[in-house]
Amino acid sequence: MKEKLHASQAVITQWATRTETLEATVDRLQLERDSDAEHREKLGAALTDSEKHLAACQQRISDLGERMAAVDDRNQLLDDENRHLLQEQAVLQGQLKQLQTHGAK
C-alpha cells in the first residue's frame, strides 16, 4: 500500500507540476494576446491616419491639377493675344513705312 501511495503521490506531483507549467503557459499566451491586440489597435490607428493623409494628398494633387489646367488655359489665351498684337505691330510698322515713304517724296 505504501508503494502505491508513494507512486500515487509521485503521479500527483507530476500532474501538479504539469498543471503549473500549463498555467504559466496560459498566462504568457494571454499577455502575448493582449500585447498583440494593443499592437493591432495602434496599427489600425496608424492605418487610419495614413489613409486620411493619403486622401488629403490626393485632394491636393487634384486641386493642383485643376490649377495647372487653368494656368495652361491662361497661357494659351496670352499666347493668342501676343500673336495678335505682333500681327497688329507688323501691320502698323508696314503702315509707318508707307507713310514715311510717301512723306519723303
Side-chain angles (χ1 to χ4, degrees), residues 63-92:
D63 293 346
L64 290 173
E66 290 173 11
R67 286 179 60 192
M68 187 172 177
V71 167
D72 286 343
D73 291 345
R74 178 77 174 139
N75 281 340
Q76 185 62 46
L77 287 173
L78 291 173
D79 285 344
D80 292 346
E81 185 177 339
N82 189 40
R83 193 171 19 267
H84 178 74
L85 290 172
L86 288 172
Q87 288 172 350
E88 282 185 33
Q89 180 184 14
V91 168
L92 290 172

Side-chain angles (χ1 to χ4, degrees), residues 2-97:
K2 284 184 180 184
E3 286 179 25
K4 284 187 178 183
L5 178 61
H6 286 308
S8 295
Q9 286 176 340
V11 170
I12 290 171
T13 302
Q14 288 175 348
W15 280 107
T17 302
R18 179 71 178 140
T19 300
E20 288 174 5
T21 302
L22 289 173
E23 286 174 348
T25 301
V26 167
D27 290 343
R28 181 182 52 82
L29 290 173
Q30 286 174 335
L31 287 174
E32 287 178 13
R33 183 193 63 208
D34 293 345
S35 176
D36 288 347
E38 271 184 50
H39 187 65
R40 189 172 39 253
E41 285 179 27
K42 288 178 183 177
L43 289 175
L47 176 61
T48 300
D49 289 345
S50 295
E51 287 170 341
K52 288 178 184 176
H53 183 69
L54 175 61
C57 289
Q58 288 172 330
Q59 182 61 48
R60 181 76 174 135
I61 289 169
S62 176
D63 293 346
L64 290 173
E66 290 173 11
R67 286 179 60 192
M68 187 172 177
V71 167
D72 286 343
D73 291 345
R74 178 77 174 139
N75 281 340
Q76 185 62 46
L77 287 173
L78 291 173
D79 285 344
D80 292 346
E81 185 177 339
N82 189 40
R83 193 171 19 267
H84 178 74
L85 290 172
L86 288 172
Q87 288 172 350
E88 282 185 33
Q89 180 184 14
V91 168
L92 290 172
Q93 284 176 342
Q95 290 174 350
L96 178 62
K97 281 186 180 181

